[in-house]
Amino acid sequence: MSQRKPYVGGNWKMNTNRTTSADLARGVVDGLRDAAHVDVAVFPPFPYLLAVRAILRDRSSSIKLGAQDVYPKPDGAFTGEVSTEMLKDCGVEVVLCGHSERRHVLGESDAHVNAKLRAVLDAGLEAILCVGETLDERNNGHTDPVNQRQVRGGLADVTGDQISRVTIAYEPVWAIGTGKTATPADAQAVHANIRKLIAGMFGQDAAERIRIMYGGSVKPSNAADLFLSPDIDGGLIGGASLKVGEFVPIVRAAASKYTTP
Ligand code: PGA
């Protein structure tokens, strides 16, 4: 049993439309109305943030509104980008930083991810720092060095106070959207090493408190086994977060791990 409250995020990526994002939000809120002992966030595409916020508010839901990305500058001539203040204005509470699709498809560096994460924390928001190795990196024995580099780089200059608003999501790139999931033992080993690294950077107390989610083809059929691992504190869910009938059981599987401290 864990002392850390499990946390599950639904990353909708570039999916849904005006109708289906609202249907999905209503379905998730209604499906999790009685769910306790778990934090939940949904990450709709930018154009649907306000509509999803209205649904969460109308139903007095504790589900957090999340954004999939942000630009680190406060305002100005950055065509197409969105600032932390704009996100706050739309009711966003938590922002993904360094998702593997942004690193590998959009070419974001550790330094850029760090700038985003610090902007998010400086704005008083929560951040989820995503890290993970590619299949080549894993096959070449570089899993831990890559994840350590991304954690160190992503958290550079983060203060001891700010780390309490950070969650880490370990998402092996080869497991995202592929149907391949890390075994609970493989994921646990990486999570434990990340927690050790956090202890070295921020102290033992911060390491024991920080939540480390697993992401990559999490489904209702594998969620419970993954979440049983001591250092896996929930999940960041892509494909399965688009279906109420899959996301809700995944959240419930995470919730069942928690015991009130
Ligand atoms: P997936 O995506 O669950 O579709 O593998 C996870 C993620 O990218 O956050």
Side-chain angles (χ1 to χ4, degrees):
M1 295 295 248
S2 174
Q3 298 295 302
R4 292 179 291 274
K5 191 174 185 184
Y7 195 177
V8 180
N11 176 9
W12 298 358
K13 307 192 180 184
M14 201 172 73
N15 295 299
T16 70
N17 59 30
R18 205 143 57 96
T19 305
T20 58
S21 60
D23 288 346
L24 181 54
R26 277 189 286 265
V28 169
V29 170
D30 292 346
L32 292 173
R33 190 171 296 289
D34 62 339
H37 311 312
V38 60
D39 286 332
V40 180
V42 290
F43 298 84
F46 286 146
Y48 310 132
L49 282 172
L50 284 174
V52 171
R53 174 171 79 157
I55 291 164
L56 299 179
R57 285 208 168 169
D58 284 354
R59 288 167 155 73
S60 304
S61 175
S62 59
I63 294 174
K64 299 179 199 216
L65 184 64
Q68 298 175 19
D69 191 30
V70 69
Y71 196 67
K73 301 286 185 197
D75 52 43
F78 302 104
T79 301
E81 297 296 338
V82 168
S83 71
T84 54
E85 289 309 311
M86 292 172 185
L87 294 179
K88 278 166 76 172
D89 204 16
C90 293
V92 165
E93 295 165 84
V94 48
V95 184
L96 297 182
C97 299
H99 189 278
S100 80
E101 285 141 22
R102 300 222 53 96
R103 292 178 190 268
H104 296 287
V105 183
L106 284 306
E108 287 187 8
S109 65
D110 284 325
H112 194 51
V113 172
N114 176 244
K116 291 184 179 200
L117 183 128
R118 281 188 295 132
V120 166
L121 296 176
D122 287 345
L125 296 164
E126 258 186 63
I128 298 181
L129 172 65
C130 305
V131 301
E133 79 286 355
T134 63
L135 190 56
D136 266 4
E137 288 164 340
R138 171 162 283 258
N139 289 341
N140 288 316
H142 296 149
T143 297
D144 285 329
V146 167
N147 285 296
Q148 295 196 358
R149 191 202 74 224
Q150 292 181 357
V151 171
R152 275 188 200 286
L155 298 180
D157 297 323
V158 168
T159 68
D161 284 347
Q162 289 177 328
I163 194 68
S164 63
R165 281 185 282 119
V166 176
T167 298
I168 294 177
Y170 167 56
E171 301 200 291
V173 179
W174 48 272
I176 295 181
T178 59
K180 291 184 197 144
T181 317
T183 64
D186 283 344
Q188 164 59 27
V190 176
H191 282 230
N193 285 337
I194 291 174
R195 201 175 299 286
K196 224 180 279 170
L197 177 61
I198 297 295
M201 294 174 73
F202 295 96
Q204 194 57 36
D205 194 45
E208 274 163 27
R209 285 169 192 270
I210 198 166
R211 291 179 290 187
I212 308 177
M213 301 167 152
Y214 170 79
S217 299
V218 178
K219 306 181 267 282
S221 57
N222 60 23
D225 277 351
L226 285 160
F227 299 156
L228 272 180
S229 302
D231 287 293
I232 300 183
D233 306 312
L236 186 55
I237 319 302
S241 74
L242 297 170
K243 296 186 189 128
V244 175
E246 296 193 8
F247 188 64
V248 166
I250 291 172
V251 173
R252 290 191 187 284
S256 66
K257 146 171 207 171
Y258 185 67
T259 177
T260 308

